Amino acid sequence: MLEIYEPSRVFHYFEEICAIPHPSYHEKQISDYIVNFAKEHNIQYWQDDLYNVIMIKEASEGYEDVEPVIIQGHMDMVAEQDSDCKKDMLKEGLDLQVIDGFISAKGTTLGGDDGVAVAMALAILEDDTIKHPRIEVIITVSEEVGMEGAAGIDVSMLKGHKMLNLDSEEEGIFLAGCAGGCRLDLTATMNQVEATGVKITIEIDNCTGGHSGSEIDKMRANASMLIIRLLSKAVLLSDGGIKLAYFMGGTKDNAITRSAKAIFFVDENISDKLIDEAENIIDEYSVSDPDMELNITDETGKCGLAADETTSANFISMAASCPNGVQRMSLDTLGLVETSLNLGVTAFDMEEAAEAKLSYCIRSSVESAKNALIEKIALIGKVHGAQVGIHGSYPAWQFKRQSQFRDTMVEIYEDMFGVRPQVMTLHAGLECGLLSEKIKDLDAVSLGPELYDIHTPKERLSIASTKRMYDYVLKVLEHK
């Protein structure tokens, strides 16, 4: 359905990618698809044990002496879906639709982040009419869960030191630096009891959500944090006497949580007072999250497995003590977030296991600030008796004040479109930092077509912007 749009081959490959399930940690099928493409087109390739893929196409005639260009993106996607969507994103492809010039997927994320980069790379490698230097394509796995593919990839076969990272979402903005980050987990042991009394259920759905890096400064509601707020009030109203049975929210640490649910038992019904607080919450977030749904229900005379009062209160206290959102703005760049964290996943179900977990995405462009925030959350966890786990740490991509490659790209863009692109740094993470550690003197720029609401089921890709940015990338490759 997408091949009727230009550039047709980019959209051909994008549609094929969308038909293959490829969430993080489930990339073998999409990786093998890319390898089969390379075999069919007689392109030299490497596929490692992680399923990263590198492909190389030698220079076209007349470009043999031009310095190689690296094209880079990632093949995994954030798999988020609406609460009423029944699709199994580990087994089923996406249901694409085109509305008002934008491609989206029905009920799920689209994976334009970063499927469009893979589609562009394949279209470029396929086309023998393009004038270009040696092209070295790096397509990584597990970018969305800590950049594990970029951390583990061997790039020793590459010759290039100029890189186009195609993992950005705003046309006309060139990224030249980004924050470093990690995932931090707090895991608490919960003592099991048979609970009785009033069973209260809190459900929050249809928050706006978004990317925990690029949209953390929008002050959008985090559904899990709002439930923690209500649970904290419940603890105070009942003098610590609630028994938490269930608390689930979010599926990815790098996505602002859109929906969450908690169930607890209490001796006396306090739901009316919690409903008053819920109304305050809806009013507070009426601008950023106008579609938020917050429901509190109660049932009397119920029983079930739950955590005891002591471990319930301890876990809620720990969760409420940890900050969330923007922690500091940059002093170097106006409007840029320097340090933040996002509670992306909350997981506790006493019917399944006597453990409760909080998973945070921590980001900062200042290494010492990142480490200080990690230590703060770890200390809160340890004081409350939780186990602390730190995973997927990656470095910041440091801004280069002098970059001939970036200057050339700016000139080409201005010549093509009559406006000068903005050169910025980003609070979200990009693989350029890790690859800069592997490739000496790497000069990288990140760019891409317009994508909106990534990491949410509202994600959409601009068709017109994709064409403009693809044409632009071809001009960069043609430049000598």
Side-chain angles (χ1 to χ4, degrees):
M1 64 177 282
L2 297 184
E3 279 191 87
I4 62 173
Y5 303 104
E6 292 293 338
S8 62
R9 297 307 290 170
V10 172
F11 288 120
H12 163 80
Y13 286 116
F14 185 70
E15 187 168 3
E16 291 203 341
I17 290 164
C18 290
I20 301 170
H22 56 283
S24 303
Y25 295 139
H26 298 273
E27 300 101 337
K28 184 180 186 301
Q29 189 177 353
I30 187 70
S31 179
D32 288 344
Y33 166 82
I34 296 169
V35 165
N36 288 334
F37 165 88
K39 291 177 179 178
E40 291 171 4
H41 293 84
N42 296 315
I43 292 169
Q44 190 177 21
Y45 73 91
W46 287 261
Q47 182 186 44
D48 64 20
D49 292 341
L50 298 174
Y51 301 117
N52 294 305
V53 178
I54 290 176
M55 295 175 284
I56 295 177
K57 185 174 184 178
E58 295 299 337
S60 61
E61 184 177 355
Y63 283 75
E64 295 86 354
D65 296 329
V66 178
E67 185 179 350
V69 173
I70 300 168
I71 296 174
Q72 194 264 320
H74 61 88
M75 67 181 81
D76 63 314
M77 68 173 288
V78 170
E80 285 279 300
Q81 57 198 104
D82 288 328
S83 56
D84 59 352
C85 178
K86 305 304 181 184
K87 180 176 291 294
D88 185 345
M89 296 187 73
L90 296 181
K91 297 179 180 179
E92 301 176 70
L94 307 178
D95 298 323
L96 300 181
Q97 59 187 356
V98 176
I99 301 173
D100 297 331
F102 289 89
I103 303 168
S104 58
K106 297 176 184 177
T108 69
T109 41
L110 174 67
D113 173 20
D114 194 25
V116 70
V118 180
M120 284 186 177
L122 299 185
I124 288 168
L125 291 173
E126 173 192 68
D127 192 345
D128 290 330
T129 69
I130 297 172
K131 298 176 182 178
H132 61 85
R134 172 180 161 113
I135 297 173
E136 302 175 334
V137 174
I138 304 173
I139 307 295
T140 56
V141 299
S142 304
E143 189 271 350
E144 299 288 6
V145 288
M147 307 192 187
E148 296 172 15
I153 197 170
D154 175 15
V155 293
S156 59
M157 74 290 292
L158 302 185
K159 299 178 181 179
H161 297 274
K162 300 190 299 186
M163 186 172 82
L164 288 173
N165 169 279
L166 301 179
D167 191 18
S168 294
E169 294 86 36
E170 293 184 81
E171 182 181 346
I173 293 179
F174 291 176
L175 299 178
C178 73
C182 72
R183 189 180 85 237
L184 189 150
D185 298 334
L186 299 179
T187 305
T189 300
M190 310 293 277
N191 296 333
Q192 186 183 92
V193 296
E194 184 72 25
T196 58
V198 182
K199 178 182 176 182
I200 296 180
T201 300
I202 306 172
E203 293 183 273
I204 299 178
D205 199 7
N206 287 336
C207 294
T208 303
H211 190 289
S212 70
S214 58
E215 292 170 321
I216 198 71
D217 61 339
K218 305 297 191 301
M219 304 303 175
R220 295 173 179 171
N222 182 307
S224 289
M225 290 301 300
L226 294 183
I227 283 189
I228 290 166
R229 172 172 163 178
L230 290 165
L231 290 174
S232 300
K233 190 171 187 68
V235 170
L236 294 173
L237 289 170
S238 61
D239 293 326
I242 80 166
K243 300 178 182 71
L244 186 64
Y246 181 94
F247 186 2
M248 291 286 184
T251 59
K252 304 291 183 299
D253 65 277
N254 60 359
I256 299 170
T257 304
R258 296 180 301 109
S259 62
K261 178 179 179 179
I263 301 171
F264 65 92
F265 292 85
V266 66
D267 292 338
E268 295 184 10
N269 200 335
I270 56 174
S271 61
D272 286 348
K273 294 179 181 178
L274 294 179
I275 289 171
D276 290 340
E277 184 69 3
E279 290 174 353
N280 292 334
I281 288 171
I282 291 172
D283 184 59
E284 289 174 24
Y285 287 91
S286 60
V287 174
S288 63
D289 296 78
D291 299 322
M292 181 198 298
E293 298 174 6
L294 203 169
N295 295 301
I296 297 175
T297 57
D298 59 75
E299 301 173 88
T300 58
K302 295 294 180 178
C303 63
L305 293 177
D308 66 9
E309 294 177 358
T310 301
T311 52
S312 293
N314 183 67
F315 175 72
I316 294 166
S317 173
M318 178 178 72
S321 298
C322 291
N324 190 77
V326 176
Q327 301 300 295
R328 192 182 190 205
M329 300 299 290
S330 172
L331 299 179
D332 294 321
T333 305
L334 184 65
L336 178 69
V337 178
E338 177 207 276
T339 305
S340 76
L341 78 164
N342 174 67
L343 174 57
V345 182
T346 306
F348 171 56
D349 184 351
M350 186 54 88
E351 297 283 351
E352 299 292 333
E355 285 187 343
K357 179 181 284 189
L358 304 171
S359 293
Y360 294 88
C361 178
I362 294 177
R363 305 177 190 268
S364 183
S365 54
V366 178
E367 190 71 11
S368 59
K370 181 183 83 171
N371 292 335
L373 185 54
I374 290 170
E375 290 168 0
K376 179 177 182 176
I377 303 302
L379 177 60
I380 292 170
K382 288 185 176 181
V383 166
H384 286 82
Q387 293 182 331
V388 180
I390 300 171
H391 317 276
S393 183
Y394 58 91
W397 170 28
Q398 297 297 325
F399 177 79
K400 279 190 173 185
R401 296 192 180 278
Q402 301 297 325
S403 167
Q404 183 177 354
F405 182 46
R406 187 174 69 233
D407 291 345
T408 299
M409 289 181 61
V410 168
E411 291 176 7
I412 294 171
Y413 190 94
E414 193 169 9
D415 287 344
M416 284 186 70
F417 302 113
V419 294
R420 193 170 183 84
Q422 293 179 266
V423 176
M424 300 175 59
T425 57
L426 182 71
H427 185 57
L430 292 168
E431 294 165 296
C432 303
L434 280 166
L435 294 172
S436 293
E437 293 186 336
K438 295 173 179 284
I439 302 172
K440 185 179 179 181
D441 299 324
L442 181 67
D443 197 355
V445 177
S446 180
L447 64 144
E450 291 285 354
L451 274 162
Y452 297 92
D453 295 319
I454 63 172
H455 298 187
T456 81
K458 295 180 180 179
E459 180 183 3
R460 57 200 186 279
L461 169 67
S462 167
I463 293 171
S465 180
T466 300
K467 183 180 189 311
R468 288 191 295 269
M469 294 310 294
Y470 183 68
D471 291 343
Y472 170 74
V473 169
L474 297 186
K475 283 292 184 182
V476 172
L477 293 174
E478 290 176 7
H479 182 81
K480 288 188 178 181

